[in-house]
Amino acid sequence: EDKVVQSPLSLVVHEGDTVTLNCSYEVTNFRSLLWYKQEKKAPTFLFMLTSSGIEKKSGRLSSILDKKELFSILNITATQTGDSAVYLCAVVLGGGATNKLIFGTGTLLAVQP
Amino acid sequence: DAGVTQSPTHLIKTRGQQVTLRCSPKSGHDTVSWYQQALGQGPQFIFQYYEEEERQRGNFPDRFSGHQFPNYSSELNVNALLLGDSALYLCASSLNWWRGIGYTFGSGTRLTVV
């Protein structure tokens, strides 16, 4: 069964801290990995990763994929209260289940002032 | 540029009733996927529509059905509602279902079954 596991489930940090969120996966036909930020309802896109070892960056956020060890990390530096959200990791399947997304349960990040 | 639009935003139904949720995809997108997100969980894939046909389906019973219209908009229907169907229902649109370009989510419909 295709599975995506995120850790930790929740995290409380103070403004200015750096956090690392983890996502591991076991799927039959990997196509790509997506990171989303979900504040209230709509998940908003952060990164798409398809190749190992290539870091994607956007401001204070960065992410990298390791296809050999089957995991990805999302780093947030100099955290701000506006970073408080649920961060979702999703694997995009290929093959017969083309472009079906398998999500993890998410990491709830709370950034305190 | 209009994003993905879902309606209604909130809905309360009684067990046994039927419900229809609606989704308009982002301009230029032709594929619509539906997800169910229970409280504290990640979204679960329900099904995907392209060219008015169901292309893929997740592990959901036949009580969950859908439709896609010629203008690419889509409906999700749930019959014989159960308390366990209470969840946030998310619609995502993309271009070319086999390529999955530009996966974009709507704000969802919060369904409460009482």
Side-chain angles (χ1 to χ4, degrees):
Chain A
E1 183 185 347
D2 296 319
K3 186 169 60 175
V4 176
V5 178
Q6 292 185 246
S7 64
L9 291 181
S10 64
L11 193 56
V12 180
V13 301
H14 289 96
E15 272 193 316
D17 288 348
T18 293
V19 298
T20 298
L21 309 183
N22 303 294
C23 175
S24 63
Y25 60 91
E26 287 181 40
V27 300
T28 51
N29 203 321
F30 176 92
R31 186 165 188 158
S32 60
L33 187 144
L34 308 176
W35 282 98
Y36 287 90
K37 178 182 182 183
Q38 187 174 30
E39 291 179 84
K40 289 185 178 176
K41 287 189 174 180
T44 54
F45 173 80
L46 295 175
F47 297 112
M48 181 174 78
L49 303 158
T50 55
S51 301
S52 274
I54 298 175
E55 186 182 49
K56 293 283 186 84
K57 289 199 71 168
S58 177
R60 297 177 294 102
L61 277 66
S62 63
S63 184
I64 197 162
L65 174 67
D66 185 328
K67 290 170 74 174
K68 181 179 177 184
E69 300 298 327
L70 307 182
F71 77 91
S72 173
I73 60 172
L74 174 67
N75 282 316
I76 308 175
T77 59
T79 52
Q80 302 171 357
T81 54
D83 295 327
S84 297
V86 173
Y87 289 84
L88 293 167
C89 169
V91 169
V92 185
L93 301 182
T98 298
N99 295 318
K100 173 181 172 181
L101 265 60
I102 305 296
F103 281 89
T105 54
T107 293
L108 175 60
L109 174 64
V111 181
Q112 295 181 341
Chain B
D1 182 20
V4 179
T5 305
Q6 291 188 242
S7 64
T9 54
H10 295 85
L11 203 51
I12 300 175
K13 289 285 190 178
T14 304
R15 270 183 304 175
Q17 285 188 315
Q18 178 263 344
V19 68
T20 297
L21 310 181
R22 295 177 175 82
C23 172
S24 293
K26 183 177 178 178
S27 177
H29 284 182
D30 57 13
T31 302
V32 172
S33 303
W34 287 91
Y35 289 81
Q36 180 195 65
Q37 186 175 22
L39 203 60
Q41 299 296 315
Q44 300 288 316
F45 177 77
I46 303 175
F47 41 53
Q48 182 181 71
Y49 277 86
Y50 172 74
E51 288 191 338
E52 303 178 51
E53 289 189 18
E54 184 182 290
R55 297 289 171 168
Q56 298 187 75
R57 190 178 183 91
N59 295 325
F60 279 81
D62 292 344
R63 298 186 297 109
F64 289 78
S65 63
H67 190 77
Q68 186 179 35
F69 299 94
N71 67 352
Y72 308 119
S73 67
S74 176
E75 288 182 348
L76 164 65
N77 300 293
V78 186
N79 294 322
L81 284 167
L82 304 174
L83 295 179
D85 295 331
S86 296
L88 178 67
Y89 287 84
L90 294 165
C91 168
S93 73
S94 57
L95 179 62
N96 303 155
W97 73 277
W98 64 95
R99 293 166 67 188
I101 297 173
Y103 230 94
T104 305
F105 283 88
S107 294
T109 294
R110 173 73 63 188
L111 172 65
T112 302
V113 182
V114 297

